[in-house]
Each structure stands twice: as C-alpha cells, then as structure tokens.
Amino acid sequence: MILRRTCKEAAALLVAREDRALSLPDRVALRLHLAACEACPRFARQLQLMREAFGRWRQQAGDDAPG
Amino acid sequence: MPFELDVAEHRSYLLRYARLQLRNDAWAEDAVSETLLAALSRPQAFDGRSQLRTWLVGILKHKVIDCLRSRRREVALDSEEGDGSAELEALVFRADGHFAAPPADWGDPERALASRQFFEILELCVQKLPPAMARVFLMREWLELSSDEICKELALTPTNLYVQLHRARLRLRECLDLNWFHTPSAP
C-alpha cells in the first residue's frame, strides 16, 4: 500500500470523493497528505464551497422571487 | 390573479433551466410547454404549501428526464480525447505532481453564496462545459439522479460516468476561480 501521494493525486481523490466512496487506502493516504500539505486543504475548501453552491442553486431553482 | 397567469409568469424561468439541462432549444420549449400544460390541466394538484415555482420546477424535472430518456441515442458523450481535459490538467499541475500555482483562497463562502452574481457566474460556467459533460453533471447536481439511474439513462459504465463528473468538476472549479475569485479589482 503506497500512502505517499502527490498533490495531483490527492486533488484527484478529493474530486472523486464528491461522487463516490473512496477505498480505505485512498482515504488514509488522503488524510495523511492533507495533514502535511498546504495547497490541498485549500483545494478541498474550494470543492466544499462548490458543493454548497450547487445545493443552494438547486434550492433557488424553486425559491427565488420571479425574476 | 388567475392561476393561468400565475403559471405563465414562470415560463421564461423554466425555459432557462430546461435549456441549460437539455442544450437544445426545441426540446427545452417542448419540456416547458408540457410542464405548463400539466400544471394547467391539474391546478388542484398545487396545494399551495410550496411556492408555485418550486412546484413547476418539480414537474419540469420529470419532463426533462422523460426527454433525456426518449432522446437517449442523441446524447452520446464526447469522445475521451480532445475535450481539453488533458490541457486543463497540465495547466493546473506540474509534471512532478505539484500545483503549478497554489490554489487560491476563495475567502468567505457565505459572501459568495449570498451573491446573486456568483450564481450567475456559476451558471455561465456550467454553460461553458461541453454539452454532453454538462448533461451528465446536471443530471447529478440538478435533477439529483443517482449514479445508477444516470448510467442506465445514458447507457454509461460507472467508470465513464465518474470520469465525466470528475472532468466537469475540475472545469467548473477552474472557471469559478478565473471568473469570480480572480475578478480584477476595479481600477
């Protein structure tokens, strides 16, 4: 089990996590990488903002005042 | 105001969403017309508990799914190559797997999420996705279909679905980064 991942690999796992469950080795590797990396946690926060934005967007489809 | 007028008021809004989803003006017109017909033929189905637009969007989603279903053969995905994904990846990452430039701090999420302009840019970014990729992405994020359902509707393998969603998310991130978070400050 190789636990060292590059940022490119870690970012790919973060994106994949939006749509499917990661394997245990991937989850462990990702956690280790995030703990040691400055860039990837930012990338993760960007994805989180996107997730919230799409949730809000979905809601707005129904709730907005007529525009 | 009569119910017909209330419903008709939402037409342009529904059309915008149908176009975004279907990428085809004629199909979108059809889906919206069917939605309005369905709504007007059963006004008693609207119980007033939800907002009228929420109710109409709910009907529209079913019409959009019906359309995607019947046009299945016409929504084939782009080929794996040549959609610019490799180029995007090369822009974001160096060959050694490091970020070419560290990801920007997107700041306070609440500020972005409270801004109407942010959502306009979000929609623009979705519009800029290759059509088939956008369709897959919206089936997931807007229609909230499960992976199984999307694979079945579009005759995709799960792997292919995840590749498309993955690419769509990377592009959207890049587009938002460029157009919202890096907007040049006023002179």
Side-chain angles (χ1 to χ4, degrees), chain B residues 96-148:
Chain B
D96 63 5
H98 284 287
F99 281 99
D105 184 351
W106 282 5
D108 178 15
E110 277 311 311
R111 195 179 70 88
L113 296 178
S115 155
R116 178 174 286 269
Q117 199 202 348
F118 171 78
F119 286 95
E120 283 167 14
I121 291 172
L122 187 74
E123 269 189 38
L124 274 177
C125 289
V126 173
Q127 278 166 18
K128 279 169 65 181
L129 293 175
M133 193 186 284
R135 198 168 282 130
V136 170
F137 185 75
L138 288 167
M139 283 173 91
R140 174 156 201 100
E141 288 286 355
W142 194 55
L143 299 174
E144 296 181 273
L145 298 181
S146 72
S147 308
D148 284 353

Side-chain angles (χ1 to χ4, degrees), chain B residues 51-165:
Chain B
Q51 291 214 22
L52 182 58
R53 183 183 285 183
T54 310
W55 183 64
L56 291 171
V57 167
I59 301 174
L60 177 62
K61 284 188 180 187
H62 287 290
K63 300 298 177 193
V64 164
I65 292 169
D66 286 347
C67 178
L68 288 169
R69 205 164 269 165
S70 63
R71 310 274 183 176
R72 186 179 306 190
R73 286 180 49 235
E74 293 168 64
V75 299
L77 284 167
D78 308 333
S79 65
E80 293 278 312
E81 285 88 35
D83 68 358
S85 296
E87 289 85 344
L88 175 60
E89 197 159 83
L91 269 178
V92 177
F93 297 101
R94 297 199 308 243
D96 63 5
H98 284 287
F99 281 99
D105 184 351
W106 282 5
D108 178 15
E110 277 311 311
R111 195 179 70 88
L113 296 178
S115 155
R116 178 174 286 269
Q117 199 202 348
F118 171 78
F119 286 95
E120 283 167 14
I121 291 172
L122 187 74
E123 269 189 38
L124 274 177
C125 289
V126 173
Q127 278 166 18
K128 279 169 65 181
L129 293 175
M133 193 186 284
R135 198 168 282 130
V136 170
F137 185 75
L138 288 167
M139 283 173 91
R140 174 156 201 100
E141 288 286 355
W142 194 55
L143 299 174
E144 296 181 273
L145 298 181
S146 72
S147 308
D148 284 353
E149 285 171 302
I150 301 172
C151 286
K152 222 174 93 196
E153 293 306 332
L154 299 181
L156 286 178
T157 64
T159 307
N160 202 333
L161 169 68
Y162 292 133
V163 168
Q164 295 298 325
L165 289 173

